[in-house]
Amino acid sequence: MGGGNNAENDSQKHIQYHQPISGCCRSHSYPETNFSPGAKWIKGLTHDRLGVFVGGHFGEVNLGHVLFSERVDDDKHIQMVYWSAPGRSKPGFDEVMKLDKKEWKELKKGFSFGPSCITGGYGGDRRVDFIIPKDARHKGELDIVIEVSCNEMFGVSGIGAPDPNRYFTLNSADLVVPNQDAWRLMWDFSTLRELVDDLPGNSILQNLCLVTANKIMNTFDIHDPERTIKECRKIAEDVFGEGWEAKGADIYKEGLGKGKKPQVWGIGNCHIDTAWLWPFSVTQQKAARSWSTQIDLMERYPEHRFATSSAQQFKWVEQLYPKLHERIKEKVKTGQFQLVGGSWVENDSNMPSGEALARQMIYGQRYFRSRFGVTSKVAWLPDSFGLSGALPQLIRGAGMENFFTQKLSWNNVNTFPHSTFNWVGLDGTQVICHMTPVDTYTAQATVQDVRRGVWNHKNLESSDTGLLAFGNGDGGGGPLNKMLENLRRIRATANEHRELPVVSMGESVDDFYDDIHKHTEEGKTLPVWRGELYLEFHRGTYTSHGSIKKGNRHSETLMRDAEYLATLASLFKPEQYSYPKDTIDTCWEKVLLNQFHDVLPGSAIGMVYIDAEQNYAEVAKDGRKMIHDALSVLLEDSKGIAAPMSLNEYKAMGGQFAMINTLDFPRSETVILPITESGENTVELDGGLVQPSKRGDRVFAVVDAPGRAIGCVSAPNLVDGVGATAHQTEDGSFVLKNSSVEFKISKGRIVSLVDRELGRELIPCCTTGGLVMFERDTPPNWDAWDTEIHHLETSKPLEFSNLKVHEAGPLRASLTADIAYGQSKIWVEISLDATNATTLANSRPYIRFDAKVDWHERHKFLKFELPLDIHSDIAYYECAFGWVSRPTHKNTTQEAAKFEVCGHRYADLSEFGYGVALLTESKYGYATTGNVMRVSLLRGPTSPDSEQDQG
């Protein structure tokens, strides 16, 4: 054997041995050896790179660079002029278009606009597309009018007043041609990234989305965008499904088997605060801009349904933008534009009276029926700061049986236990309430929003659907096309994969609630919540901006009296009197407008309250005139007294005082009459007795009046002939006393309150009452809105000083006192009348405190408190059309969270057979902790109104 032969044989054997390797290129063959490093990825690094595909640091080489195929800004293509409205004026579009061309000035990029103003808005992308009409494209020329406001996300300085020294520069005003394929790829990628970020880690779909997004990034070529963008979009179909985009709105008709239904129902909405960081006039423009945008989207996205509330905003649009109003009417007819709420505005529901809450719905529903021929079926208050237990009855009375809200998701102590439930009101009336598990009314239609609609639902066992209310809000805007595009992609993904909830579009809010009724046996399988929906947050709103609370209470009372007397006059003297319906409606609309949930609570900027106070002034003027006109007819020979007169002048006129009791029950009260008379003794008037005031500028008289009747001055039955007295004791204390009670102030504090008829001391030993300053009212956030429990740890009792006897009796006795604190001064008159508070047998008189305050405190909280020798686990507070009981203890966190609560005219602490009440003329904040009752008087927040209640 030769070596060569052996070598040859060996070589042949070797080749034969390895022949099978030649088949390694066949796809069905698994290689025997492997020299590659493997396909193992580092998932976190791949995930991190997704953030640099659009814009950012690599904007010149990624997708963001090709979003526009053309961009020009030269004078040949763009000419601009501007006109600035003077002051706070808001002229209409037609008015501006009639201006002389000479009033318009040339505008270039780099021009500074200002000073800054506030219109509010929503952070993030607010791009609104305007599709250029075909005729303008053929013509090659188009005039566009743009309204510009100088502001940022939330005004120009966060939540506060605008900076008058700040200006803004026009940086961009270009004519561009968008690359539609690039934009659609951007939306594809955005949805994929949301899926990667929000789906559970290491799930099949999450990994698929990450792989797909990574492939897209590797495929895109900045040097060949047209071809690679198409390839990238094809890759996205690995998640969304083949040909998904061609289906358009029909994508929502797929993916549900027989008997299956969507879990999340999408409805566009546009929460426009009727006033907040902007005045009412700005809201008029917000409504027009926002709703016209939504009508445009409806034309491009047939599945888009849009719900909005607030009849007041529709009335503004009708008056100022009549063409838009007609377009809205057409979309209401097609069911794409849905009217919800049934109220005049999205009102606060803690502080308005029952009558005012009823009027909100009466005026709202009446407007919707008269203009659109529809009645809202769903009450809609997503942002109100707590909800009165009177609402269910009123909602049903207004023709609605469903209610939408979500604000209780802001609770800062306890999580509200339900998402869909029967809400039962004070009288047992119920509505189906849905608190969206998405926990917002301004959802951005993201994957997280859709998933939250299921995983955050608190009672899936009884109702498994959630409402996704999406769209930019607070400052308006509503849904954007990118939101509608995102929802199509989310639904396409859910049609292909079962790791996502199924989101539905194309149905209305009414359809959503109809589905709940159907699948819960008309609410029988739902949980029940009885009574108020107390918000464990924003408790300071019961007190902030005290002047606006006073205007509300006085206006509500005035309108009741004006309507009552006008009704009597129209019934008994129809030939002489015409019911002033237009004036009444105008007044009520102003009162209802001011009850918007950021106006009445005191959480708007200062310029809002200029308008609100003007509304109240007009209501007061018109209300008093209506009362005067009605009485002039009812009491034909009567005459109003315009100014005080002497007793002799009054007697020379003849006749007598007539006091109208507009309430249902009899009253016997000490009142003030405009008669000037001096002296220390009572004098006769109209067959009764009156007491001249110490200053001689008025007299006090006891007036008796049956219910809903005319009263007159009476001769009071003074026990022991004494009546009410005031005096200083030898130890320096001051005492007010009548036959029923005795009230004592010592060393500047209230130390005794004795029920003389029972011989019962009501102030516990070693405790005192009076004014208290809580010196650190500094909530972590939301200054005008919040007061937190820790403010109660910084109390400083204030002492009455310079006490003097002011009126000595017998009809009214009173003391005057001063209180100084910091830069503030308080003047108080404390009085006691000879008459009891009511005509009931066991009634007692009330001690009256009239205070005038020159307030200059910041982040402090002034209250009045009174400790009582009364034991009760609950206290009672007036609310709309009733009362609500709340705990005086802190057994649970739910009870502890109610350290500041809302009440109307009284709070009552009673044990069996006996009780004491605090009554207020225009305050709404109360607390009863153990045996200590408090009423909140003034706060000093500095945002959003830095001058709130100052002076």
Side-chain angles (χ1 to χ4, degrees):
M1 294 178 62
N5 290 334
N6 289 336
E8 182 180 0
N9 292 336
D10 289 344
S11 177
Q12 290 173 351
K13 291 178 181 178
H14 180 75
I15 292 172
Q16 291 171 353
Y17 184 78
H18 285 93
Q19 270 185 338
I21 298 179
S22 63
C24 66
C25 294
R26 290 176 294 177
S27 60
H28 64 273
S29 182
Y30 178 64
E32 181 175 332
T33 60
N34 190 328
F35 298 102
S36 73
K40 177 67 177 177
W41 65 346
I42 302 176
K43 186 175 180 180
L45 297 181
T46 304
H47 177 273
D48 292 344
R49 76 178 296 221
L50 303 187
V52 298
F53 185 53
V54 182
H57 182 65
F58 300 103
E60 293 299 315
V61 295
N62 63 22
L63 183 63
H65 188 64
V66 297
L67 291 176
F68 301 102
S69 56
E70 296 288 343
R71 180 186 293 269
V72 294
D73 66 347
D74 54 79
D75 292 341
K76 177 182 177 181
H77 292 91
I78 300 174
Q79 297 90 41
M80 295 184 292
V81 295
Y82 77 95
W83 176 82
S84 294
R88 286 184 57 195
S89 64
K90 293 288 182 181
F93 177 79
D94 292 337
E95 182 181 351
V96 173
M97 290 298 97
K98 293 177 182 177
L99 292 171
D100 192 308
K101 291 184 177 180
K102 295 180 181 179
E103 297 191 47
W104 294 83
K105 300 178 182 179
E106 185 180 12
L107 176 64
K108 299 282 189 181
K109 285 203 291 189
F111 180 82
S112 292
F113 289 94
S116 62
C117 65
I118 283 183
T119 65
Y122 185 94
D125 184 8
R126 294 184 56 80
R127 184 185 306 275
V128 175
D129 295 332
F130 174 71
I131 308 302
I132 298 176
K134 287 184 178 180
D135 58 346
R137 280 179 260 171
H138 293 309
K139 184 180 179 182
E141 184 177 301
L142 179 66
D143 291 331
I144 301 176
V145 181
I146 302 174
E147 182 183 65
V148 178
S149 297
C150 302
N151 66 281
E152 291 177 347
M153 170 182 165
F154 281 110
V156 292
S157 37
I159 297 179
D163 182 354
N165 299 311
R166 188 174 182 185
Y167 285 71
F168 294 85
T169 303
L170 177 63
N171 293 318
S172 177
D174 303 342
L175 184 63
V176 299
V177 178
N179 183 336
Q180 295 294 346
D181 286 337
W183 278 89
R184 290 187 173 92
L185 176 58
M186 183 180 70
W187 292 330
D188 290 346
F189 194 85
S190 175
T191 304
L192 290 170
R193 190 178 176 194
E194 287 180 9
L195 288 163
V196 172
D197 289 343
D198 197 61
L199 286 171
N202 209 35
S203 67
I204 295 174
L205 180 56
Q206 194 243 18
N207 279 283
L208 174 61
C209 293
L210 182 54
V211 168
T212 304
N214 191 54
K215 283 182 182 179
I216 289 173
M217 292 188 70
N218 291 336
T219 301
F220 175 74
D221 186 348
I222 191 68
H223 303 294
D224 190 6
E226 185 175 354
R227 176 184 61 83
T228 57
I229 285 175
K230 291 180 180 178
E231 291 182 10
C232 290
R233 297 216 65 211
K234 187 63 177 177
I235 292 171
E237 291 185 354
D238 291 347
V239 173
F240 303 142
E242 185 175 354
W244 72 272
E245 188 172 35
K247 299 170 185 175
D250 288 341
I251 198 73
Y252 293 103
K253 298 178 181 179
E254 298 186 352
L256 290 175
K258 185 177 181 181
K260 300 292 185 180
K261 64 188 184 76
Q263 298 159 284
V264 179
W265 297 50
I267 186 75
N269 89 115
C270 171
H271 183 74
I272 305 177
D273 283 327
T274 302
W276 179 30
L277 305 180
W278 50 87
F280 297 124
S281 58
V282 171
T283 302
Q284 298 164 3
Q285 296 165 305
K286 285 179 175 294
R289 292 194 297 263
S290 301
W291 296 347
S292 59
T293 298
Q294 298 313 308
I295 290 176
D296 173 63
L297 288 175
M298 291 171 192
E299 301 292 342
R300 291 188 276 152
Y301 296 89
E303 73 272 25
H304 182 34
R305 299 292 181 270
F306 179 72
T308 194
S309 67
S310 303
Q312 171 68 87
Q313 295 179 16
F314 283 92
K315 184 174 182 178
W316 283 332
V317 168
E318 180 186 16
Q319 293 171 334
L320 302 174
Y321 305 90
K323 294 179 181 178
L324 174 59
H325 181 72
E326 291 302 314
R327 294 176 65 198
I328 292 172
K329 287 173 68 174
E330 290 302 315
K331 292 301 181 183
V332 170
K333 289 179 181 177
T334 64
Q336 292 172 280
F337 205 115
Q338 186 183 358
L339 310 179
V340 295
S343 59
W344 193 246
V345 296
E346 289 187 14
N347 52 279
D348 176 84
S349 88
N350 283 316
M351 290 173 279
S353 66
E355 181 64 27
L357 290 177
R359 297 292 176 125
Q360 286 285 352
M361 298 181 195
I362 291 170
Y363 279 71
Q365 293 284 46
R366 185 170 67 187
Y367 181 86
F368 287 153
R369 282 197 296 268
S370 65
R371 301 311 194 274
F372 302 100
V374 300
T375 300
S376 297
K377 297 180 181 178
V378 179
W380 188 274
L381 292 175
D383 197 29
S384 297
F385 310 149
L387 301 156
S388 167
L391 278 178
Q393 181 182 10
L394 295 172
I395 290 170
R396 295 300 290 264
M400 299 176 282
E401 57 184 23
N402 306 304
F403 180 55
F404 176 80
T405 186
Q406 69 82 45
K407 197 65 176 183
L408 267 65
S409 67
W410 287 43
N411 278 3
N412 65 352
V413 181
N414 302 283
T415 299
F416 190 77
H418 308 307
S419 293
T420 304
F421 57 97
N422 295 301
W423 182 25
V424 180
L426 298 176
D427 71 329
T429 302
Q430 67 174 353
V431 294
I432 285 184
C433 179
H434 180 69
M435 292 188 184
T436 171
V438 186
D439 284 351
T440 182
Y441 51 84
T442 58
Q444 298 296 287
T446 63
V447 170
Q448 184 183 65
D449 292 332
V450 172
R451 291 189 67 246
R452 192 178 184 88
V454 175
W455 67 256
N456 193 47
H457 200 297
K458 298 178 180 67
N459 48 287
L460 288 170
E461 78 288 347
S462 55
S463 176
D464 59 359
T465 55
L467 189 65
L468 171 64
F470 67 94
N472 291 329
D474 289 334
L480 302 174
N481 64 332
K482 73 166 189 174
M483 299 178 189
L484 297 168
E485 292 283 350
N486 204 38
L487 287 173
R488 283 187 177 183
R489 287 160 173 80
I490 294 171
R491 176 56 183 266
T493 304
N495 288 347
E496 298 291 321
H497 311 273
R498 289 309 180 197
E499 295 178 52
L500 267 184
V502 176
V503 60
S504 173
M505 290 284 289
E507 291 86 14
S508 67
V509 177
D510 292 345
D511 294 332
F512 172 77
Y513 280 94
D514 287 345
D515 181 77
I516 293 176
H517 282 269
K518 177 181 177 181
H519 289 92
T520 63
E521 300 177 30
E522 295 295 338
K524 292 180 182 178
T525 64
L526 292 175
V528 172
W529 183 272
R530 296 183 181 276
E532 68 173 333
L533 294 172
Y534 175 83
L535 176 65
E536 297 174 2
F537 209 47
H538 290 0
R539 305 168 184 88
T541 58
Y542 314 143
T543 306
S544 294
H545 250 299
S547 63
I548 213 71
K549 270 74 170 175
K550 185 173 185 176
N552 179 70
R553 180 80 61 78
H554 286 202
S555 296
E556 289 175 339
T557 304
L558 179 66
M559 288 305 299
R560 181 201 176 278
D561 289 346
E563 284 189 87
Y564 172 69
L565 294 171
T567 300
L568 292 181
S570 63
L571 289 174
F572 292 106
K573 300 291 180 71
E575 69 286 351
Q576 298 174 245
Y577 184 82
S578 178
Y579 189 77
K581 182 179 183 303
D582 290 344
T583 303
I584 287 172
D585 286 344
T586 299
C587 287
W588 263 117
E589 286 178 10
K590 291 173 183 177
V591 174
L592 301 179
L593 173 61
N594 280 3
Q595 289 177 346
F596 177 71
H597 68 253
D598 268 312
V599 178
L600 181 55
S603 50
I605 60 171
M607 66 176 66
V608 170
Y609 294 102
I610 296 174
D611 296 337
E613 296 285 7
Q614 179 63 32
N615 284 339
Y616 286 140
E618 293 170 1
V619 170
K621 178 182 176 181
D622 291 342
R624 286 193 291 265
K625 184 178 185 303
M626 285 189 287
I627 289 175
H628 177 272
D629 291 348
L631 288 177
S632 298
V633 172
L634 289 168
L635 307 175
E636 293 185 76
D637 298 327
S638 67
K639 180 186 296 185
I641 298 179
M645 62 178 66
S646 70
L647 184 60
N648 290 332
E649 290 173 324
Y650 170 73
K651 290 183 176 180
M653 291 174 59
Q656 65 181 31
F657 276 107
M659 274 68 74
I660 313 298
N661 178 16
T662 62
L663 301 181
D664 294 328
F665 48 84
R667 297 160 68 184
S668 178
E669 298 177 12
T670 302
V671 302
I672 295 173
L673 300 179
I675 299 295
T676 59
E677 182 70 17
S678 58
E680 297 183 359
N681 299 317
T682 57
V683 295
E684 187 275 334
L685 184 141
D686 292 350
L689 295 177
V690 297
Q691 170 192 326
S693 69
K694 187 173 184 179
R695 291 194 299 264
D697 60 344
R698 63 187 71 179
V699 297
F700 303 103
V702 174
V703 174
D704 293 333
R708 296 198 176 193
I710 298 174
C712 56
V713 176
S714 68
N717 180 22
L718 302 179
V719 177
D720 300 328
V722 176
T725 64
H727 67 276
Q728 183 177 10
T729 64
E730 293 182 358
D731 65 357
S733 301
F734 286 81
V735 176
L736 292 172
K737 183 170 66 172
N738 67 11
S739 61
S740 298
V741 299
E742 182 175 324
F743 171 87
K744 182 178 182 180
I745 295 178
S746 180
K747 298 180 180 179
R749 300 288 293 171
I750 301 169
V751 296
S752 177
L753 177 59
V754 177
D755 183 330
R756 298 184 68 196
E757 292 189 32
L758 298 179
R760 177 172 179 169
E761 172 63 70
L762 295 170
I763 305 295
C765 178
C766 305
T767 64
T768 65
L771 294 174
V772 179
M773 188 72 76
F774 293 87
E775 298 188 298
R776 192 162 297 174
D777 184 21
T778 52
N781 298 294
W782 303 103
D783 196 4
W785 292 259
D786 288 346
T787 185
E788 288 303 340
I789 195 168
H790 44 71
H791 85 274
L792 297 171
E793 301 169 10
T794 60
S795 64
K796 178 181 176 62
L798 304 182
E799 295 182 358
F800 298 110
S801 61
N802 298 320
L803 275 157
K804 297 175 183 176
V805 173
H806 185 59
E807 303 290 353
L811 303 185
R812 172 167 294 179
S814 67
L815 308 171
T816 58
D818 301 337
I819 297 175
Y821 178 90
Q823 302 299 313
S824 301
K825 187 102 177 196
I826 306 171
W827 297 270
V828 183
E829 181 175 358
I830 309 168
S831 56
L832 173 66
D833 294 339
T835 53
N836 289 333
T838 74
T839 59
L840 298 176
N842 292 323
S843 179
R844 302 290 188 271
Y846 53 72
I847 311 295
R848 176 173 175 147
F849 292 77
D850 290 283
K852 179 181 178 182
V853 183
D854 185 17
W855 183 250
H856 297 283
E857 305 308 312
R858 312 282 185 175
H859 300 123
K860 292 178 170 52
F861 204 156
L862 178 66
K863 303 186 183 188
F864 175 85
E865 71 175 22
L866 192 68
L868 295 166
D869 191 9
I870 293 176
H871 174 73
S872 178
D873 291 337
I874 56 174
Y876 300 90
Y877 306 84
E878 187 190 26
C879 67
F881 286 141
W883 49 264
V884 57
S885 61
R886 299 185 178 109
T888 61
H889 53 78
K890 302 177 182 179
N891 284 354
T892 67
T893 54
Q894 286 81 9
E895 292 155 345
K898 296 179 180 179
F899 58 85
E900 181 83 4
V901 298
C902 185
H904 287 192
R905 292 169 295 186
Y906 69 80
D908 173 87
L909 182 64
S910 294
E911 59 191 24
F912 181 76
Y914 200 89
V916 173
L918 296 180
L919 286 74
T920 69
E921 168 256 1
S922 60
K923 300 301 176 183
Y924 293 91
Y926 296 89
T928 305
T929 305
N931 67 327
V932 179
M933 301 186 74
R934 295 191 185 98
V935 57
S936 298
L937 304 177
L938 284 169
R939 299 184 66 223
T942 56
S943 175
D945 181 4
S946 61
E947 296 302 312
Q948 182 178 126
D949 281 329
Q950 296 296 303

